[in-house]
Amino acid sequence: MAAEVSNSKILQPDYQLNEPEPEHCPGPESEKAGQGDACVGCANKDICESLPKGPDPDIELITENLSQIGHKILVLSGKGGVGKSTFTSMLAWALSADEDLQVGAMDLDICGPSLPQMLGCAEESIHESGAGWSPVYVADNLAAISIQFMLPEDDSAVIWRGSKKNALIKRFLKDVDWDRLDYLVVDTPPGTSDEHISINKLMKESGLDGALIVTTPQEVALLDVRKEIDFCRKAGIKILGLVENMSGFVCPNCKGESFIFRPTTGGGQALCKELGIPYLGSVPLDPRIGQACDKGDSFLDLYPDSPASIAILNVVEHLRDAVGDAC
Amino acid sequence: MTDQAPKSFSQIKHVILILSGKGGVGKSSVTTQMALTLASQGHKVGVLDIDLTGPSVPRFFGMEGKSIFQSERGWLPVVAYSDANQNALLKIMSLGFLLNDRGSSVVWRGPKKTSMIKQFVQDVVWGELDYLLIDTPPGTSDEHIAIAEELRFARTDGAVLVTTPQDISTADVKKEINFCKKANIKILGIIENMSGFVCPHCSECTNIFSKGGGLKLSETHEIDFLGAVPIDPSFVDMIEGQTEASQPLVTLYRASALHSIFSSIVEDLQTKDLTSGC
């Protein structure tokens, strides 16, 4: 017999039952859980009784706290190291270049936060006030929040299981005093697990505009990105578009082009066509992007005329169109 | 939990984890190349992929679409390569083999991931292995806590850390070093991957993701530096070009320019005082 993982319940509940639900089960999450006729003698009775009833009361507080934010965009990818944080920082820099826009950047990568270094604010820390946690201001109109601001040492390991990560994400959404924002861009870790389930569950009420998917051209990355797209569809997250990062490399010496992560299966563009997703373009590999990110400088400010900057600004423009913010 | 090594590990001589705090630095690529190098030397190698939401190992070995079979004793891993005498030299286990569609997402919270890893450690029929390489997802969370707990009594040799040269990457790997210290996992060494790219047109080397970050990290933390691996697009071509008809990956890899680098990395690891051994 070939073993297989059942996909019937893709969004798994937070609890585990001792046995399958019996006939006439009122439902483990219902108001009557543990009290129905069918519950007498059921091995799940204790579990169902102890589950919190009704919707999470914090969702209302989160919705309230995020009510003054115009657009909320997730930056997602199934794969690590494709440039999610780089793109989040680029989005933040590009949007905040317009002085009339208030921009926030939230880093949900709890175990490997990269956004603060890319925005040049890794040494900062968060202040707590009556109104909640004050984010770190990178510029007058650009604020950021990350676990990095709370670590005792910059290399402290955050060895947390999912439940603890979820609790922090909740506080980021509920307690950060953003004030009024035109855009909140949310950087995420790779995968389709706790952080992704939680952010979707907790922000749904507040109105997520959708997700920007980042990939690199090779099939090993696209394979994971497919899974993320599958997740978005199942979770009801709108996909605003896909951008292919690290697309080609132009040798600074001879100007010859090479495909470092060769798109053997057609790259991001073919995937978009297959799955019916807007393709927002490709950004070439430019070693100066990595250098700027290491130093916390804005690549877009330093090299505004480079092909990579032009491609990135093009993606930003597309995204603003996709969320209905004509500029 | 019992304080004994899992039974499934009883015939495994060495267990090595491949870790990195950062994603996309080449953990699966390094795992694959270490496995190919060891198998090429005639060793019996197992590869366990505990990246549950983004398993890449089946694709690397050209084994996508294969199934895991359940026997009375447990799950039988996929055999990726056997020698002339039909001895299986390369066995693979990954969640990728358990999905009915390659595009399906695995949307699991921590507890589910933890129990799957427990099953992967306890229920796979590896048989006799010289080396078991464990490929991991990025981070220091559920999967890492779970594997550390499951391997507590399995005489793990230690971990190989993979990084790319830039600061953004080494910053996350520093966190992984601290994780290893806290979890009592010995660090065998650091590999700097994607270290420079030689232009095929003019042979000029460009350090796309900077250079020397891994070496510097190993010096600051007094960890052995195992080697720097350049970007070689022909490796991706080799992986992606696999067909049923092509030669086995182990044979193809012997001709790769990266093979000599990994031979020296593996040799370096073998001369270390690897703690386990039955």
Side-chain angles (χ1 to χ4, degrees), chain A residues 1-5 7 10-12 14 80-81 111-113 117-118 148 151 154-162 165-166 190-194 197-198 219-220 223-224 226-227 230-231 249 251-254 256-260 262 264 285 287 294, chain B residues 22-24 53-56 59-60 64 68-70 75 95 98-100 102-110 112-114 138-142 145 149 166-168 171-172 174-175 178-179 182 197 199-202 204 206 208-209 231 233 237 240:
Chain A
M1 188 190 79
E4 210 168 72
V5 168
N7 261 326
I10 204 70
L11 287 176
Q12 298 289 337
D14 298 340
C111 296
Q117 185 167 359
M118 291 183 181
Q148 187 67 37
L151 298 179
D154 71 340
D155 57 354
S156 303
V158 180
I159 309 171
W160 286 4
R161 290 187 187 274
K165 294 195 282 193
N166 296 334
T192 50
S193 194
D194 283 285
I197 302 172
S198 296
E219 181 57 29
V220 175
L223 175 59
D224 290 353
R226 273 174 192 277
K227 294 177 194 290
D230 185 54
F231 163 75
F249 170 67
C251 173
N253 185 42
C254 72
E257 193 173 19
S258 311
F259 291 97
I260 299 210
R262 204 184 297 265
T264 54
L285 252 180
D294 273 357
Chain B
K22 180 90 186 128
T53 57
S56 309
R59 180 91 191 169
F60 268 103
E64 271 190 310
I68 295 294
F69 288 89
Q70 181 105 46
W75 280 338
L95 190 71
L98 300 172
L99 301 175
N100 45 18
R102 66 195 293 271
S104 292
S105 53
V106 175
V107 188
W108 289 355
R109 288 189 184 272
K112 190 99 200 253
K113 294 195 284 191
T114 302
T140 49
S141 191
D142 292 285
I145 301 172
E149 281 183 355
Q166 74 275 40
D167 289 350
I168 284 288
D172 285 354
K174 278 182 204 160
K175 295 179 196 279
N178 282 327
F179 166 77
K182 282 194 180 153
F197 171 69
C199 175
H201 308 293
C202 68
E204 173 90 358
T206 307
I208 297 186
F209 301 107
I231 296 171
D237 289 348
E240 291 292 319

Side-chain angles (χ1 to χ4, degrees), chain B residues 4 9 20 22 35 51 63-64 76 79 85 94 103 142 151-152 159 174-175 193 197-198 213 236 245:
Chain B
Q4 276 177 356
F9 277 45
S20 173
K22 180 90 186 128
D51 190 342
M63 291 287 138
E64 271 190 310
L76 301 175
V79 175
N85 302 321
S94 166
D142 292 285
L151 294 182
R152 205 142 53 117
K174 278 182 204 160
K175 295 179 196 279
N193 195 25
F197 171 69
V198 178
V236 178

Side-chain angles (χ1 to χ4, degrees), chain A residues 77-79 82 215-227 244-246 259-272 274-275, chain B residues 54-60 62 64 101-104 233 235-242:
Chain A
S77 172
K79 182 86 187 136
V82 295
T215 187
T216 49
Q218 78 277 32
E219 181 57 29
V220 175
L222 294 173
L223 175 59
D224 290 353
V225 172
R226 273 174 192 277
K227 294 177 194 290
E244 183 182 278
N245 195 18
M246 310 191 196
F259 291 97
I260 299 210
F261 304 107
R262 204 184 297 265
T264 54
T265 53
Q269 196 161 12
L271 185 74
C272 283
E274 184 195 326
L275 299 176
Chain B
S56 309
V57 165
R59 180 91 191 169
F60 268 103
E64 271 190 310
D101 181 88
R102 66 195 293 271
S104 292
F235 178 70
V236 178
D237 289 348
M238 190 176 82
I239 294 297
E240 291 292 319
Q242 295 179 82

Side-chain angles (χ1 to χ4, degrees), chain B residues 146-220:
Chain B
I147 197 77
E149 281 183 355
E150 289 300 322
L151 294 182
R152 205 142 53 117
F153 304 105
R155 288 170 303 182
T156 313
D157 290 289
V160 169
L161 298 182
V162 185
T163 186
T164 48
Q166 74 275 40
D167 289 350
I168 284 288
S169 175
T170 56
D172 285 354
V173 178
K174 278 182 204 160
K175 295 179 196 279
E176 203 73 30
I177 294 174
N178 282 327
F179 166 77
C180 288
K181 284 183 186 156
K182 282 194 180 153
N184 236 336
I185 297 171
K186 185 175 161 190
I187 300 173
L188 300 171
I190 292 179
I191 294 177
E192 179 175 305
N193 195 25
M194 305 194 198
S195 180
F197 171 69
V198 178
C199 175
H201 308 293
C202 68
S203 303
E204 173 90 358
C205 182
T206 307
N207 296 318
I208 297 186
F209 301 107
S210 167
K211 179 126 193 123
L215 182 62
K216 212 172 105 199
L217 188 66
S218 72
E219 285 166 358
T220 339

Side-chain angles (χ1 to χ4, degrees), chain A residues 37-91:
Chain A
D37 292 341
C39 302
V40 181
C42 175
N44 301 325
K45 191 168 185 273
D46 288 348
I47 300 172
C48 296
E49 270 179 345
S50 62
L51 286 176
K53 302 289 177 291
D56 190 335
D58 284 330
I59 290 185
E60 207 175 309
L61 300 173
I62 289 170
T63 310
E64 163 79 37
N65 190 43
L66 302 181
S67 62
Q68 296 208 62
I69 300 178
H71 299 288
K72 306 170 196 83
I73 300 173
L74 296 179
V75 180
L76 291 173
S77 172
K79 182 86 187 136
V82 295
K84 287 177 294 301
S85 303
T86 303
F87 238 94
T88 309
S89 68
M90 295 290 185
L91 262 174

